[in-house]
Amino acid sequence: MGAPATDKVRNVVLVGHGGSGKTSLAEAMLHLAGVTHRLGSVDDEHSNLDFDPEEIRRKNSISLALAPVVHKGVKINIIDTPGYADFLGDAIAGMAAAEMALFVVDAVAGPQVQTERLWRLAGQMGIARSVLINRMDKENADFDAVMAALDAKFGHRVGAVQIPMGAEADFHGVIDVIRMKAYMHEGDSEEVTAIPEEFKAVAESAREKLTELVAEADDALMEKYLIDGERLTQEELETLLDKAIYQGIFIPVFVASATALHGVEDLLDEIVSFFPQPTAHGPIATTDGGEREVSIEESASAFVFKTVSDPYIGRLNYVKVVSGEITPNSEMINSRTGKKERIGRVYKVVGKEATDVESIPAGDIAVLPKLGDVVTGDTLSADGSVTYAPLPLPEPLYPVAIQAKTKADEDKLGTALNKLVEEEPTLHLLRDEETHQTVLSGLGDVQIDVALAHLRDRNHVEAETIDIRIPYRETIRKSASAQGRHKKQTGGSGQFGDCSLRLEPNPGKGYEFVDEIVGGKIPRQFIPAVDKGIQDTLVQGVLAGYPVVDVKAAVFDGSYHSVDSSEIAFKTAARIAFRAAAEKADMVLLEPIATLEIEVPDEHAGAVMGDISSMRGRILGMDSPEAGIQTIKAQVPYAEVVHYSPHLRSITSGTGTYTISVDEYAEVPFDMAKKVIEQARAEKESS
């Protein structure tokens, strides 16, 4: 089959809570479509999509994977995504490339935390939503309970288009509510029959809800149905169903057992018939306020939604083609860099297996290998004039300090880390010049663990994490004066500098230097050296080696030697004087104070506020941006919340999110300050 027309493409992203069976569903689709000869299995460690060594070891997805299949002449790009919070970035990337999010929900557990979070994100991103209740053959599977939970969490627009016949070991078929037929499963075979008598009432009820909601997609038909009391014809229902789905008027619910292959082919049929094609959501917004139609007629453009490094092929860029057509041996311009990129080859990828294709048209998904400086979020276009909106990725709020285990690894660590963050935009890297640490920030501890594993396995670099150094500050609380005298005679020219300093608190105004010398007690040319000596000491600290802030220093007296005085002598004298005065000026330790805005469901607000209080924090206020949600604003010492992400996840069952900023400093309580100072001095002595 050649490149499909845009209307013969469906882009479907599988999302939901971890462990709901998304990868198993994608594997079942691949197998039934004849792409794979045997059914891939995560549990048996021969999955086509979870092929990374860390995915095999953990038995869950940590990165999105593509599984394109052709069913009834339509190409379906299945995008399998991770279901755990630490890998939320890949779920968002997958949703950005799709028109339909299929939420896979466990038939026992129902919609879980990550399902709810992704549901809101899908709505914000403007893509259609559908649900598959998976694992209907699992012990304690309960279709009615899951449907009730879906209705409670996501509203009345969620409705069944399929109903299971039986449950647990007795799950033996699916009722098609759209066509009012039954599909009986026996092993790998399927038989179409009339709906058994015992299921007719529930099927009619589901059909009534389906019809009522779908009618809203057309004013005339809604009037016919609601006012005139006429039933929609089968043709009218099917004609309106896809429109109702992509407009969010109706959210269809399917049922299946992916591992038993029951209901999966029926799902593929409905994807072809009713899921939106790439043009369904209209034009794609650009960063300049414009937009571009999903059309083969426009010049070529695409956005990069995922970048990975293959150990054999090199860097691979996953792209969604928005307009025109991408072909091998063509050129495109990266709007971020302004550089031309030669498209040497175009791949269709199934998991890690790549196959060359001749072209990829608007609406389709492809993988472009071996491009230059192209990373996730970039836009490629024929003339470089188009830039699509960036992915709405979460801010990485879990920082760790990272260091190489050996000297040999140290030489390679920087390059390896840079490659890592180029591939994964929810990892951020910085060199903190104040604490002299390399800091890697992610969405949580699991993502950091995976990053370390990738450093080891892909780049052969052994690294480890160490505690983040909190950027404390030092300051004074009262005024004090002291003399600093530096005299050294070494046989030839000596060194002589003498100055007296007065230190005063300067809250909120930083460092200020005042020259009060009169009568030439210190020659003019040495005054800047005094200032420089003080600034050197400010950086080095006095109490525990942390920078000294908010101090006014005045040089008011001194003396010099006509031969032995020099700039270096007065710098040294100033350092001596500053330290001596600071020790008399009631020095204290300051700690950074974080401002948090925490968003949680109502039922967790009390636990979060109590937790804030236990961390020496204070509540600044509360707001309710929407029903059932509370936003709590609080201030907490940064040392208490530097790793708040997994902690908040734990106390809110994964439902809490937050933002953090560090805007001010406050005095550290005496007992805590004593420990910090003692630890800092011990580290200095041992280094």
Side-chain angles (χ1 to χ4, degrees):
M1 181 178 179
T6 298
D7 63 354
K8 295 295 184 182
V9 173
R10 304 289 184 271
N11 298 308
V12 181
V13 59
L14 306 183
V15 291
H17 199 82
S20 58
K22 299 180 295 297
T23 302
S24 296
L25 176 62
E27 295 282 3
M29 291 175 167
L30 285 170
H31 185 60
L32 289 174
V35 178
T36 57
H37 298 299
R38 70 170 180 172
L39 180 63
S41 169
V42 174
D43 291 335
D44 294 341
E45 299 185 359
H46 59 77
S47 168
N48 299 284
L49 303 177
D50 282 358
F51 53 84
D52 184 281
E54 278 299 294
E55 291 178 312
I56 295 170
R57 184 174 72 84
R58 295 171 182 272
K59 294 187 184 299
N60 58 61
S61 302
I62 61 176
S63 179
L64 70 75
L66 293 182
V69 303
V70 176
H71 185 74
K72 294 187 175 179
V74 172
K75 182 185 180 187
I76 306 172
N77 288 311
I78 303 157
I79 307 171
D80 180 35
T81 67
Y84 292 91
D86 281 16
F87 307 105
L88 178 63
D90 270 34
I92 292 172
M95 289 196 291
E99 288 75 46
M100 170 62 82
L102 177 59
F103 286 80
V104 182
V105 173
D106 185 89
V108 177
Q112 295 168 271
V113 170
Q114 194 70 349
T115 307
E116 296 179 53
R117 187 176 184 184
L118 290 165
W119 189 274
R120 290 194 298 270
L121 279 168
Q124 293 164 11
M125 295 172 71
I127 67 171
R129 291 171 287 201
S130 57
V131 179
L132 173 80
I133 300 175
N134 190 27
R135 297 178 171 169
M136 277 304 307
D137 57 343
K138 189 176 176 182
E139 187 177 354
N140 297 320
D142 190 331
F143 174 77
D144 292 336
V146 175
M147 284 300 300
L150 290 170
D151 184 81
K153 290 181 183 297
F154 305 134
H156 75 287
R157 296 197 177 279
V158 177
V161 293
Q162 292 178 344
I163 295 170
M165 290 187 285
E168 303 181 344
D170 186 42
F171 176 49
H172 61 278
V174 170
I175 294 170
D176 178 353
V177 175
I178 300 170
R179 301 168 189 85
M180 295 299 281
K181 296 178 181 178
Y183 297 88
M184 310 289 286
H185 300 136
E186 185 66 44
D188 292 337
S189 64
E190 183 178 80
E191 179 187 358
V192 183
T193 69
I195 297 174
E197 191 66 34
E198 62 188 293
F199 295 108
K200 280 186 176 178
V202 68
E204 286 289 349
S205 176
R207 171 82 174 199
E208 190 70 21
K209 180 174 182 178
L210 167 65
T211 306
E212 182 178 328
L213 288 172
V214 167
E216 292 184 31
D218 184 281
D219 291 342
L221 290 177
M222 183 170 64
E223 183 177 339
K224 168 187 171 180
Y225 177 74
L226 294 178
I227 298 176
D228 300 338
E230 296 182 36
R231 296 178 66 88
L232 299 186
T233 66
Q234 186 67 25
E235 182 181 0
E236 288 170 337
L237 178 67
E238 293 191 30
T239 299
L240 282 182
L241 186 54
D242 58 350
K243 183 179 178 182
I245 289 172
Y246 77 70
Q247 288 184 350
I249 294 170
F250 178 70
I251 297 169
V253 179
F254 306 89
V255 294
S257 167
T259 53
L261 301 180
H262 291 174
V264 179
E265 188 152 8
D266 306 323
L267 174 64
L268 287 168
D269 290 342
E270 307 302 25
I271 289 174
V272 168
S273 298
F274 301 114
F275 277 25
Q277 56 183 270
T279 57
H281 290 285
I284 308 299
T286 57
T287 55
D288 62 359
E291 53 189 28
R292 178 166 286 206
E293 297 285 344
V294 179
S295 169
I296 192 72
E297 304 301 328
E298 298 271 0
S299 61
S301 70
F303 68 86
V304 181
F305 64 90
K306 178 68 178 175
T307 303
V308 300
S309 285
D310 185 277
Y312 303 106
I313 302 174
R315 181 181 289 179
L316 300 172
N317 287 288
Y318 291 55
V319 301
K320 167 73 172 289
V321 183
V322 176
S323 60
E325 185 177 36
I326 294 180
T327 58
N329 302 314
S330 58
E331 283 190 342
M332 301 185 80
I333 296 174
N334 184 339
S335 64
R336 176 178 59 84
T337 65
K339 295 178 181 177
K340 287 185 178 180
E341 296 287 346
R342 184 177 180 276
I343 312 298
R345 304 171 80 175
V346 180
Y347 288 153
K348 177 184 77 173
V349 169
V350 178
K352 65 178 179 179
E353 301 298 325
T355 306
D356 285 280
V357 294
E358 295 180 0
S359 66
I360 295 290
D364 206 348
I365 289 170
V367 175
L368 307 179
K370 298 182 179 179
L371 300 183
D373 182 14
V374 178
V375 295
T376 302
D378 282 350
T379 298
L380 301 172
S381 62
D383 58 7
S385 64
V386 181
T387 303
Y388 294 112
L391 299 175
L393 297 173
E395 190 71 21
L397 299 175
Y398 186 89
V400 295
I402 190 166
Q403 65 181 18
K405 287 187 176 181
T406 67
K407 176 62 178 174
D409 289 325
E410 192 175 312
D411 295 336
K412 300 182 290 183
L413 181 60
T415 301
L417 283 172
N418 282 318
K419 284 183 179 178
L420 203 64
V421 299
E422 282 180 358
E423 293 176 33
E424 180 47 73
T426 57
L427 287 174
H428 285 187
L429 182 68
L430 66 86
R431 176 66 183 175
D432 192 325
E433 296 303 331
E434 180 180 328
T435 62
H436 307 293
Q437 289 184 316
T438 297
V439 178
L440 182 67
S441 297
L443 300 182
D445 52 342
V446 177
Q447 187 185 28
I448 296 296
D449 287 345
V450 169
L452 291 176
H454 284 166
L455 285 174
R456 181 188 65 240
D457 298 337
R458 297 179 184 177
N459 300 284
H460 311 294
V461 175
E462 293 283 353
E464 60 188 356
T465 60
I466 57 175
D467 290 340
I468 286 278
R469 294 191 188 111
I470 303 301
Y472 292 102
R473 297 283 187 268
E474 301 174 11
T475 195
I476 60 174
R477 292 199 296 191
K478 66 181 185 181
S479 299
S481 301
Q483 179 187 19
R485 185 179 176 90
H486 176 63
K487 182 178 181 181
K488 189 174 184 182
Q489 198 69 38
T490 57
S493 296
Q495 294 183 34
F496 182 85
D498 173 31
C499 64
S500 294
L501 301 180
R502 183 179 63 255
L503 306 185
E504 300 173 15
N506 200 29
K509 297 179 181 178
Y511 167 64
E512 186 177 344
F513 177 71
V514 181
D515 174 12
E516 296 181 359
I517 295 296
V518 295
K521 291 184 176 181
I522 299 177
R524 293 290 97 199
Q525 67 266 30
F526 296 137
I527 297 299
V530 174
D531 184 13
K532 184 65 169 64
I534 295 171
Q535 292 192 49
D536 288 347
T537 313
L538 291 174
V539 173
Q540 296 167 1
V542 177
L543 271 180
Y546 295 103
V548 181
V549 297
D550 294 345
V551 172
K552 178 189 285 189
V555 55
F556 62 88
D557 198 3
S559 62
Y560 71 101
H561 188 279
S562 59
V563 175
D564 292 345
S565 287
S566 64
E567 287 187 4
I568 192 168
F570 272 97
K571 282 175 64 176
T572 305
R575 288 196 287 265
I576 295 169
F578 185 91
R579 287 184 173 277
E583 288 176 2
K584 297 188 290 182
D586 193 13
M587 288 208 78
V588 293
L589 198 66
L590 303 177
E591 63 182 339
I593 302 298
T595 299
L596 300 173
E597 285 200 11
I598 309 163
E599 189 172 282
V600 293
D602 288 343
E603 61 267 28
H604 296 295
V608 169
M609 288 190 291
D611 188 57
I612 291 293
S613 298
S614 73
M615 295 189 294
R616 300 188 289 128
R618 62 190 183 98
I619 306 298
L620 301 180
M622 292 182 66
D623 189 22
S624 183
E626 58 182 278
I629 298 293
Q630 294 291 334
T631 298
I632 302 165
K633 189 170 183 179
Q635 284 190 322
V636 190
Y638 181 60
E640 303 281 353
V641 291
V642 64
H643 290 150
Y644 190 55
S645 179
H647 182 67
L648 178 66
R649 203 178 297 164
S650 173
I651 62 175
T652 64
S653 301
T655 58
T657 60
Y658 72 103
T659 60
I660 185 171
S661 61
V662 176
D663 306 311
E664 59 185 81
Y665 276 75
E667 188 176 330
V668 182
F670 177 79
D671 288 345
M672 295 192 67
K674 185 178 178 182
K675 292 178 182 178
V676 172
I677 293 167
E678 288 174 352
Q679 182 178 349
R681 289 175 177 172
E683 289 176 358
K684 185 176 180 180
E685 289 173 3
S686 63
S687 62

